[in-house]
Structure formats: structure tokens, C-alpha cells
Amino acid sequence: MNPNPILIAGPCVIESMDVLDTVAQELVRLNRKFGTDIIFKASFDKANRTSIHSYRGPGLEKGLQMLSDIKSRYGLRLLTDIHESWQAQPVGEVVDVLQIPAFLCRQTDLLVAAAQTGKTVNVKKAQFLSGQDMQFPVQKVRESGNEQVWLTERGNIYGYNNLVVDFRNISDMHQWTDTVIMDCTHSVQRPGAAGGKTGGNREFIPSMALAAKAFGADGYFFEVHPDPDHALSDGPNMLVLTDLERVVASLIES
């Protein structure tokens, strides 16, 4: 069991500097309290929203500036996702971890471009793949010259508008990398189940984290927000920011 798990937390999408500052301040407080190193996560563009009318974010240029400001002010490491290969180079100049979205984890050009930045590449397992299948995205990153590759479990498609987590995937993915993360918030999504938006069941997030710990996860990913019921993306499956401390404590103190 990893006594110092990787912790990733932040809002789904960049909404405003006020939200980013509020979350960053809480992460700094938790880092000091628990002696952790929580990586700050937020997306500059959510290119895979259910509806064309949904909020996507401020875009690459403004979003990277806002993330850079968070790093400068609070000294937090950063993670954000990319959707197109041309985004890898400018994003890699700002963040510490480039994330490959689940639906794009087989996109060779995207994986190669992320690998070539020299930054850690966190590849989310697609909802339609098994843990065994993830050997091939890892191979693409490594054969592009980058050994720093993580894999993230986030559930599998289970009929319509639902996901289920097979925690055996954590063990299976450990065959291909030493670092397997549990995405505790996207795994409780109800994709497209809220009338043009994604629904979710945030009450299961703490249990998802503890179950993943039992299966040997090396880290945990939480999307958090001060007021998720009014968030602009993924609100139903985001953890309330004030609940993060309790969940983190359960993972590092038990």
C-alpha cells in the first residue's frame, strides 16, 4: 500500500479566477496539514461536452495563463487535459502532467505529442477498454521516448447512461505501469443522463476511493468545486470542496 499516494484535485473546467483561487487555497491548506503534494487540476477546454450549448472553458491561451497564475501564487503542481496533438507543446510549457482523456486514449498522434513534451503523461482508460488493453497506450508513450506514464481507472460503460467500476483493472494496469490512479469522481458519472448534460452520484465518491485503496491504487483523482450544484460542468459528480479533507484523511491515515 502506498503511504504517500498521488492526489489530484480541482474543478472540472476553468470557470473563473475566484473559483481557482478558492480551490487552490484549500489544497495548500491540506498539503500543509497532511504533508501531501496535491496536484491542481482544471481544464482549459472541455471538448467532449454532451451538448454544443454547454460551457467549454476559456480556451487554450487564457486558460494556460490562469493555470500559470495558480502555479506562481500557490506553488502547486498542475495537471490539465489535451484533446488535440498541437496543444501538447504549449501545454507542456506550463503544466507538470498532461492528461489524455478516456475517449482519446487510443489516438496515436495525441499520445506521441504528449510524450514528446517530456512531462508525465496520465492516460485515462477508455470506458470501452479493459485494463489489459492499456498496455498499448503505454507502449506508444514509452516508444516515443517518455517513461513517465500513469494510467487512470474511471469505470466502464454499463448499458445506457451508466458506468460500473471493475476494480480488477487496477491490478491489471499495474502490469504496464507502476502508477495507477483512481478517478473517484468521473467513475460515478451518469453520462448524458441529465437531459443534454451528464449526471452523477457524488455520494459514492468516498467509497470509490477506499475501494480503490484496497485494490492497490497509487493515487486518487477528485474533481472538486466550492458549489458543485451550480458548477458549469460535471457538477453532479464533483465533490464539494469542504468534503475533500475528510476523504483525503481516510486515504492517508487509515
Side-chain angles (χ1 to χ4, degrees):
M1 197 68 64
N2 189 345
N4 298 299
I6 296 166
L7 298 170
I8 302 163
C12 175
V13 67
I14 297 172
E15 298 180 12
S16 67
M17 279 309 301
D18 285 344
V19 171
L20 297 188
D21 281 326
T22 299
V23 174
Q25 289 164 13
E26 177 65 0
L27 299 191
V28 169
R29 186 186 73 83
L30 295 179
N31 281 340
R32 289 172 178 164
K33 178 171 182 175
F34 294 111
T36 53
D37 178 23
I38 303 176
I39 300 170
F40 184 96
K41 180 270 170 186
S43 298
F44 58 83
D45 180 22
K46 301 298 292 184
N48 59 347
R49 296 301 305 274
T50 303
S51 169
I52 195 170
H53 302 293
S54 296
Y55 176 75
R56 289 181 52 167
L60 179 71
E61 184 175 354
K62 184 176 179 180
L64 287 182
Q65 183 58 59
M66 295 169 80
L67 289 172
S68 180
D69 289 346
I70 289 296
K71 176 180 275 191
S72 298
R73 293 181 196 180
Y74 302 103
L76 293 165
R77 291 196 291 158
L78 302 176
L79 176 149
T80 197
D81 40 4
I82 59 173
H83 292 82
E84 299 184 57
S85 56
W86 65 266
Q87 296 172 338
Q89 188 270 332
V91 171
E93 294 178 358
V94 175
V95 310
D96 304 276
V97 182
L98 276 72
Q99 183 164 276
I100 306 300
F103 282 128
L104 300 177
C105 74
R106 290 166 53 100
Q107 296 297 104
T108 301
D109 289 347
L110 188 63
L111 290 162
V112 170
Q116 290 175 343
T117 66
K119 298 299 180 73
T120 298
V121 181
N122 182 36
V123 186
K124 286 195 169 185
K125 180 184 71 61
Q127 299 90 326
F128 48 84
L129 295 179
S130 71
Q132 292 284 353
D133 295 326
M134 294 306 291
Q135 62 180 297
F136 301 107
V138 171
Q139 182 184 53
K140 290 176 182 179
V141 173
R142 288 183 173 156
E143 293 193 8
S144 300
N146 191 335
E147 293 293 323
Q148 302 177 80
V149 56
W150 302 346
L151 292 175
T152 293
E153 168 61 31
R154 52 97 70 243
N156 282 86
I157 295 169
Y158 188 72
Y160 298 111
N161 305 126
N162 210 349
L163 299 171
V164 67
V165 176
D166 182 350
F167 288 96
R168 294 173 298 181
N169 283 326
I170 294 172
S171 178
D172 287 344
M173 290 193 290
H174 268 134
Q175 297 177 70
W176 319 121
T177 179
D178 291 334
T179 304
V180 177
I181 309 294
M182 180 67 203
D183 184 338
C184 304
T185 46
H186 286 94
S187 59
V188 301
Q189 277 185 337
R190 301 289 305 277
K197 297 185 293 185
T198 289
N201 299 101
R202 74 170 67 100
E203 65 270 22
F204 297 125
I205 293 170
S207 298
M208 286 289 182
L210 289 173
K213 179 177 180 178
F215 276 85
D218 304 288
Y220 308 90
F221 178 109
F222 303 100
E223 286 193 333
V224 298
H225 193 282
D227 183 12
D229 287 336
H230 294 94
L232 299 181
S233 177
D234 272 7
N237 59 265
M238 276 200 283
L239 189 69
V240 180
L241 181 61
T242 53
D243 290 338
L244 181 61
E245 178 175 352
R246 174 175 55 87
V247 178
V248 170
S250 75
L251 294 171
I252 67 177
E253 294 181 348
S254 60

